[in-house]
Short mmCIF file of all heavy atoms in Angstrom, two decimals:
data_model
loop_
_atom_site.label_atom_id
_atom_site.label_comp_id
_atom_site.label_asym_id
_atom_site.label_seq_id
_atom_site.Cartn_x
_atom_site.Cartn_y
_atom_site.Cartn_z
N ILE A 42 0.83 -1.10 0.01
CA ILE A 42 -0.03 0.02 0.07
C ILE A 42 0.93 1.30 -0.06
O ILE A 42 1.13 1.85 1.03
CB ILE A 42 -0.93 0.03 1.34
CG1 ILE A 42 -1.74 -1.25 1.45
CG2 ILE A 42 -1.94 1.15 1.14
CD1 ILE A 42 -2.58 -1.47 2.58
N PRO A 43 1.43 1.58 -1.17
CA PRO A 43 2.49 2.76 -1.20
C PRO A 43 1.69 4.06 -0.99
O PRO A 43 2.34 5.07 -0.74
CB PRO A 43 3.13 2.54 -2.56
CG PRO A 43 2.14 1.83 -3.33
CD PRO A 43 1.28 0.85 -2.49
N PHE A 44 0.42 4.12 -1.36
CA PHE A 44 -0.18 5.42 -1.27
C PHE A 44 -1.51 5.46 -0.32
O PHE A 44 -2.41 6.21 -0.64
CB PHE A 44 -0.81 5.81 -2.68
CG PHE A 44 0.41 5.76 -3.68
CD1 PHE A 44 0.49 4.75 -4.71
CD2 PHE A 44 1.40 6.74 -3.63
CE1 PHE A 44 1.50 4.84 -5.55
CE2 PHE A 44 2.45 6.81 -4.62
CZ PHE A 44 2.48 5.77 -5.51
N GLY A 45 -1.30 4.77 0.81
CA GLY A 45 -2.45 4.76 1.82
C GLY A 45 -2.38 5.97 2.75
O GLY A 45 -1.75 6.97 2.40
N ALA A 46 -3.07 5.85 3.88
CA ALA A 46 -3.10 6.93 4.89
C ALA A 46 -1.76 7.29 5.28
O ALA A 46 -1.45 8.52 5.65
CB ALA A 46 -4.09 6.58 5.95
N GLU A 47 -0.81 6.33 5.37
CA GLU A 47 0.50 6.61 5.88
C GLU A 47 1.20 7.70 4.99
O GLU A 47 2.01 8.54 5.50
CB GLU A 47 1.33 5.31 5.87
CG GLU A 47 2.89 5.51 6.23
CD GLU A 47 3.69 4.39 5.70
OE1 GLU A 47 3.42 3.86 4.65
OE2 GLU A 47 4.66 4.12 6.46
N PHE A 48 0.98 7.61 3.70
CA PHE A 48 1.57 8.61 2.71
C PHE A 48 1.26 9.94 3.09
O PHE A 48 2.18 10.81 3.32
CB PHE A 48 1.22 8.27 1.29
CG PHE A 48 1.83 9.13 0.20
CD1 PHE A 48 2.78 8.56 -0.54
CD2 PHE A 48 1.43 10.43 -0.06
CE1 PHE A 48 3.39 9.36 -1.46
CE2 PHE A 48 2.09 11.17 -0.99
CZ PHE A 48 2.99 10.62 -1.74
N ASP A 49 0.02 10.25 3.26
CA ASP A 49 -0.52 11.66 3.57
C ASP A 49 -0.02 12.00 5.03
O ASP A 49 0.43 13.17 5.19
CB ASP A 49 -1.95 11.61 3.61
CG ASP A 49 -2.55 11.39 2.20
OD1 ASP A 49 -1.95 11.81 1.27
OD2 ASP A 49 -3.75 10.93 2.13
N SER A 50 0.05 11.08 5.93
CA SER A 50 0.57 11.31 7.32
C SER A 50 2.00 11.77 7.24
O SER A 50 2.41 12.69 8.01
CB SER A 50 0.38 10.10 8.18
OG SER A 50 0.85 10.29 9.48
N ILE A 51 2.80 11.03 6.51
CA ILE A 51 4.27 11.44 6.46
C ILE A 51 4.50 12.76 5.87
O ILE A 51 5.36 13.58 6.37
CB ILE A 51 5.01 10.30 5.68
CG1 ILE A 51 4.93 8.85 6.38
CG2 ILE A 51 6.39 10.61 5.44
CD1 ILE A 51 5.44 7.68 5.67
N VAL A 52 3.83 13.03 4.79
CA VAL A 52 3.85 14.36 4.13
C VAL A 52 3.58 15.54 5.13
O VAL A 52 4.35 16.50 5.26
CB VAL A 52 3.08 14.51 2.94
CG1 VAL A 52 3.06 15.93 2.34
CG2 VAL A 52 3.50 13.44 1.83
N LYS A 53 2.43 15.26 5.82
CA LYS A 53 2.06 16.34 6.81
C LYS A 53 3.02 16.47 7.93
O LYS A 53 3.39 17.57 8.53
CB LYS A 53 0.72 15.99 7.33
CG LYS A 53 -0.37 16.20 6.38
CD LYS A 53 -1.77 15.87 6.92
CE LYS A 53 -2.91 16.08 5.91
NZ LYS A 53 -4.12 15.64 6.42
N GLN A 54 3.60 15.30 8.38
CA GLN A 54 4.65 15.30 9.48
C GLN A 54 5.90 15.92 9.02
O GLN A 54 6.38 16.84 9.83
CB GLN A 54 5.00 13.88 9.84
CG GLN A 54 5.90 13.77 11.02
CD GLN A 54 6.13 12.35 11.34
OE1 GLN A 54 5.52 11.38 11.01
NE2 GLN A 54 7.30 12.17 12.19
N ARG A 55 6.39 15.75 7.86
CA ARG A 55 7.67 16.42 7.35
C ARG A 55 7.32 17.96 7.24
O ARG A 55 8.19 18.78 7.48
CB ARG A 55 8.12 15.85 6.08
CG ARG A 55 8.54 14.42 6.21
CD ARG A 55 9.78 14.27 7.12
NE ARG A 55 10.19 12.87 7.29
CZ ARG A 55 9.90 12.10 8.34
NH1 ARG A 55 9.23 12.62 9.42
NH2 ARG A 55 10.29 10.95 8.37
N GLN A 56 6.18 18.33 6.78
CA GLN A 56 5.84 19.65 6.68
C GLN A 56 5.86 20.38 8.06
O GLN A 56 6.45 21.45 8.22
CB GLN A 56 4.38 19.92 6.06
CG GLN A 56 4.27 19.57 4.56
CD GLN A 56 2.89 19.45 4.06
OE1 GLN A 56 1.95 19.30 4.93
NE2 GLN A 56 2.72 19.60 2.84
N SER A 57 5.24 19.69 9.07
CA SER A 57 5.23 20.14 10.40
C SER A 57 6.67 20.32 11.12
O SER A 57 6.91 21.24 11.68
CB SER A 57 4.39 19.34 11.23
OG SER A 57 4.34 19.69 12.58
N GLU A 58 7.43 19.32 10.72
CA GLU A 58 8.83 19.33 11.23
C GLU A 58 9.67 20.43 10.58
O GLU A 58 10.51 21.02 11.20
CB GLU A 58 9.49 18.01 11.01
CG GLU A 58 8.96 16.95 11.83
CD GLU A 58 9.40 15.44 11.37
OE1 GLU A 58 10.10 15.36 10.37
OE2 GLU A 58 9.13 14.45 12.11
N ALA A 59 9.40 20.69 9.26
CA ALA A 59 10.07 21.81 8.64
C ALA A 59 9.62 23.17 9.36
O ALA A 59 10.40 24.03 9.66
CB ALA A 59 9.74 21.87 7.15
N ASP A 60 8.33 23.27 9.66
CA ASP A 60 7.91 24.45 10.35
C ASP A 60 8.66 24.57 11.70
O ASP A 60 9.04 25.66 12.13
CB ASP A 60 6.35 24.36 10.68
CG ASP A 60 5.54 24.45 9.34
OD1 ASP A 60 6.12 24.99 8.36
OD2 ASP A 60 4.44 24.18 9.37
N GLU A 61 8.70 23.54 12.41
CA GLU A 61 9.38 23.50 13.71
C GLU A 61 10.75 23.90 13.66
O GLU A 61 11.35 24.64 14.48
CB GLU A 61 9.20 22.08 14.38
CG GLU A 61 9.70 22.00 15.77
CD GLU A 61 9.54 20.57 16.38
OE1 GLU A 61 9.09 19.65 15.60
OE2 GLU A 61 9.83 20.42 17.57
N PHE A 62 11.50 23.36 12.66
CA PHE A 62 12.91 23.68 12.51
C PHE A 62 13.12 25.15 12.15
O PHE A 62 13.99 25.76 12.87
CB PHE A 62 13.46 22.90 11.36
CG PHE A 62 14.86 23.07 11.05
CD1 PHE A 62 15.92 22.74 11.75
CD2 PHE A 62 15.26 23.91 9.92
CE1 PHE A 62 17.30 23.01 11.51
CE2 PHE A 62 16.49 24.21 9.64
CZ PHE A 62 17.56 23.80 10.44
N TYR A 63 12.36 25.71 11.30
CA TYR A 63 12.44 27.21 10.98
C TYR A 63 12.07 28.09 12.13
O TYR A 63 12.52 29.13 12.14
CB TYR A 63 11.99 27.40 9.64
CG TYR A 63 12.87 26.93 8.43
CD1 TYR A 63 12.47 25.86 7.72
CD2 TYR A 63 14.04 27.63 8.24
CE1 TYR A 63 13.35 25.46 6.71
CE2 TYR A 63 14.88 27.21 7.24
CZ TYR A 63 14.48 26.10 6.51
OH TYR A 63 15.31 25.67 5.43
N ASP A 64 11.09 27.67 12.82
CA ASP A 64 10.65 28.48 13.97
C ASP A 64 11.82 28.50 15.03
O ASP A 64 11.98 29.58 15.74
CB ASP A 64 9.42 27.78 14.65
CG ASP A 64 8.10 28.14 13.85
OD1 ASP A 64 8.17 28.99 12.97
OD2 ASP A 64 7.11 27.45 14.14
N ALA A 65 12.61 27.42 15.09
CA ALA A 65 13.75 27.40 15.94
C ALA A 65 14.92 28.22 15.50
O ALA A 65 15.60 28.90 16.21
CB ALA A 65 14.18 26.06 16.37
N VAL A 66 15.07 28.16 14.16
CA VAL A 66 16.17 28.92 13.57
C VAL A 66 15.88 30.50 13.73
O VAL A 66 16.79 31.23 14.05
CB VAL A 66 16.19 28.62 11.94
CG1 VAL A 66 17.17 29.53 11.34
CG2 VAL A 66 16.71 27.12 11.86
N THR A 67 14.65 30.96 13.61
CA THR A 67 14.46 32.26 13.62
C THR A 67 13.16 32.36 14.56
O THR A 67 12.01 32.46 14.00
CB THR A 67 14.18 32.95 12.25
OG1 THR A 67 15.28 32.57 11.46
CG2 THR A 67 14.05 34.41 12.44
N PRO A 68 13.30 32.63 15.81
CA PRO A 68 12.10 32.70 16.67
C PRO A 68 11.31 33.98 16.40
O PRO A 68 11.81 34.97 15.80
CB PRO A 68 12.79 32.87 18.04
CG PRO A 68 14.03 32.32 17.93
CD PRO A 68 14.60 32.54 16.48
N SER A 69 10.06 33.91 16.65
CA SER A 69 9.10 34.95 16.26
C SER A 69 9.41 36.30 16.92
O SER A 69 9.17 37.35 16.42
CB SER A 69 7.65 34.57 16.63
OG SER A 69 7.60 34.20 18.00
N GLU A 70 9.94 36.22 18.15
CA GLU A 70 10.37 37.50 18.84
C GLU A 70 11.60 38.19 18.22
O GLU A 70 11.82 39.29 18.48
CB GLU A 70 10.65 37.25 20.28
CG GLU A 70 11.83 36.27 20.62
CD GLU A 70 11.45 34.78 20.81
OE1 GLU A 70 10.30 34.52 20.25
OE2 GLU A 70 12.12 34.06 21.32
N GLN A 71 12.27 37.50 17.38
CA GLN A 71 13.44 38.10 16.60
C GLN A 71 13.12 38.75 15.35
O GLN A 71 13.73 39.70 14.81
CB GLN A 71 14.55 37.17 16.49
CG GLN A 71 15.17 36.62 17.77
CD GLN A 71 16.23 35.67 17.58
OE1 GLN A 71 16.78 35.46 16.39
NE2 GLN A 71 16.78 35.09 18.56
N LEU A 72 12.09 38.23 14.64
CA LEU A 72 11.71 38.75 13.35
C LEU A 72 10.23 38.63 13.08
O LEU A 72 9.60 37.67 13.58
CB LEU A 72 12.39 37.78 12.31
CG LEU A 72 12.84 38.47 10.97
CD1 LEU A 72 13.78 39.64 11.14
CD2 LEU A 72 13.48 37.39 10.10
N ALA A 73 9.66 39.56 12.37
CA ALA A 73 8.26 39.61 12.13
C ALA A 73 7.81 38.51 11.26
O ALA A 73 8.68 37.92 10.51
CB ALA A 73 7.83 40.95 11.55
N THR A 74 6.53 38.07 11.27
CA THR A 74 6.10 36.79 10.66
C THR A 74 6.37 36.92 9.12
O THR A 74 6.94 35.96 8.52
CB THR A 74 4.53 36.70 10.74
OG1 THR A 74 4.27 36.60 12.17
CG2 THR A 74 4.14 35.46 10.04
N GLU A 75 6.03 38.04 8.45
CA GLU A 75 6.31 38.22 7.11
C GLU A 75 7.77 38.10 6.73
O GLU A 75 8.22 37.48 5.71
CB GLU A 75 5.72 39.52 6.58
CG GLU A 75 5.63 39.58 5.04
CD GLU A 75 4.75 38.59 4.37
OE1 GLU A 75 3.77 37.95 5.05
OE2 GLU A 75 4.97 38.22 3.23
N MET A 76 8.64 38.75 7.56
CA MET A 76 10.18 38.65 7.30
C MET A 76 10.57 37.19 7.46
O MET A 76 11.50 36.80 6.68
CB MET A 76 10.84 39.57 8.28
CG MET A 76 10.52 41.10 7.94
SD MET A 76 10.98 41.55 6.21
CE MET A 76 12.73 41.25 6.16
N ARG A 77 10.00 36.41 8.39
CA ARG A 77 10.45 35.05 8.54
C ARG A 77 10.14 34.29 7.35
O ARG A 77 10.75 33.37 7.00
CB ARG A 77 9.90 34.45 9.86
CG ARG A 77 10.62 34.98 11.14
CD ARG A 77 10.09 34.16 12.29
NE ARG A 77 8.73 34.50 12.60
CZ ARG A 77 7.81 33.69 12.88
NH1 ARG A 77 8.03 32.37 12.83
NH2 ARG A 77 6.57 34.11 13.26
N LYS A 78 8.91 34.52 6.72
CA LYS A 78 8.53 33.81 5.54
C LYS A 78 9.55 34.09 4.42
O LYS A 78 9.95 33.14 3.66
CB LYS A 78 7.16 34.23 5.15
CG LYS A 78 6.05 33.71 5.99
CD LYS A 78 4.67 34.18 5.51
CE LYS A 78 3.52 33.70 6.48
NZ LYS A 78 2.20 34.19 6.03
N ILE A 79 9.92 35.36 4.26
CA ILE A 79 10.89 35.70 3.17
C ILE A 79 12.19 35.03 3.48
O ILE A 79 12.81 34.53 2.56
CB ILE A 79 10.99 37.29 3.17
CG1 ILE A 79 9.68 37.88 2.66
CG2 ILE A 79 12.19 37.65 2.23
CD1 ILE A 79 9.71 39.40 2.88
N GLN A 80 12.66 35.06 4.65
CA GLN A 80 13.92 34.46 4.95
C GLN A 80 13.89 32.95 4.72
O GLN A 80 14.78 32.32 4.25
CB GLN A 80 14.21 34.66 6.52
CG GLN A 80 15.64 34.05 6.85
CD GLN A 80 15.82 34.15 8.45
OE1 GLN A 80 14.98 33.55 9.11
NE2 GLN A 80 16.89 34.92 8.87
N ARG A 81 12.72 32.30 5.12
CA ARG A 81 12.62 30.82 4.90
C ARG A 81 12.68 30.47 3.37
O ARG A 81 13.30 29.46 3.05
CB ARG A 81 11.33 30.37 5.55
CG ARG A 81 11.15 28.85 5.37
CD ARG A 81 10.03 28.40 6.28
NE ARG A 81 9.59 27.03 5.99
CZ ARG A 81 8.77 26.39 6.77
NH1 ARG A 81 8.21 26.95 7.86
NH2 ARG A 81 8.39 25.17 6.58
N GLN A 82 11.95 31.28 2.51
CA GLN A 82 12.03 31.02 1.17
C GLN A 82 13.44 31.23 0.58
O GLN A 82 13.89 30.64 -0.31
CB GLN A 82 10.98 31.87 0.46
CG GLN A 82 10.74 31.36 -0.96
CD GLN A 82 9.59 31.92 -1.72
OE1 GLN A 82 8.76 32.54 -1.05
NE2 GLN A 82 9.49 31.81 -3.00
N ALA A 83 14.14 32.28 1.17
CA ALA A 83 15.45 32.49 0.71
C ALA A 83 16.37 31.35 1.06
O ALA A 83 17.27 30.88 0.26
CB ALA A 83 16.05 33.72 1.40
N PHE A 84 16.18 30.74 2.28
CA PHE A 84 16.90 29.54 2.58
C PHE A 84 16.60 28.37 1.57
O PHE A 84 17.44 27.61 1.13
CB PHE A 84 16.47 29.10 4.04
CG PHE A 84 17.17 29.93 5.10
CD1 PHE A 84 16.42 30.14 6.27
CD2 PHE A 84 18.43 30.37 4.90
CE1 PHE A 84 17.10 30.93 7.32
CE2 PHE A 84 19.10 31.14 5.98
CZ PHE A 84 18.30 31.42 7.20
N ALA A 85 15.29 28.31 1.24
CA ALA A 85 14.87 27.26 0.30
C ALA A 85 15.65 27.51 -1.00
O ALA A 85 16.09 26.47 -1.57
CB ALA A 85 13.38 27.28 0.03
N GLY A 86 15.74 28.65 -1.51
CA GLY A 86 16.43 28.99 -2.70
C GLY A 86 17.95 28.44 -2.61
O GLY A 86 18.37 27.87 -3.60
N MET A 87 18.54 28.70 -1.66
CA MET A 87 19.93 28.29 -1.47
C MET A 87 19.98 26.76 -1.34
O MET A 87 20.97 26.14 -1.92
CB MET A 87 20.56 28.93 -0.24
CG MET A 87 20.79 30.49 -0.44
SD MET A 87 21.68 31.24 1.00
CE MET A 87 20.47 31.11 2.33
#
């Protein structure tokens, strides 16, 4: 069952873990929400 409920669960989990990692890299008290989004996409580009 390569495309069962586990598939969707893993994708959501990795998305959530990416959020958690970047929240730790740049905490909300250091940078505004919109600027953190810009920084994160800049990291993605690199």
Side-chain angles (χ1 to χ4, degrees):
I42 309 177
F44 303 110
E47 177 202 33
F48 186 103
D49 296 330
S50 175
I51 293 168
V52 172
K53 290 179 181 178
Q54 181 179 345
R55 295 295 178 260
Q56 291 171 338
S57 176
E58 291 169 355
D60 292 342
E61 184 180 2
F62 175 76
Y63 281 110
D64 284 345
V66 169
T67 309
S69 57
E70 60 266 22
Q71 293 185 9
L72 210 59
T74 300
E75 192 62 28
M76 292 304 295
R77 282 190 290 129
K78 289 180 180 179
I79 293 171
Q80 183 190 58
R81 180 167 171 174
Q82 191 168 346
F84 286 144
M87 291 188 288

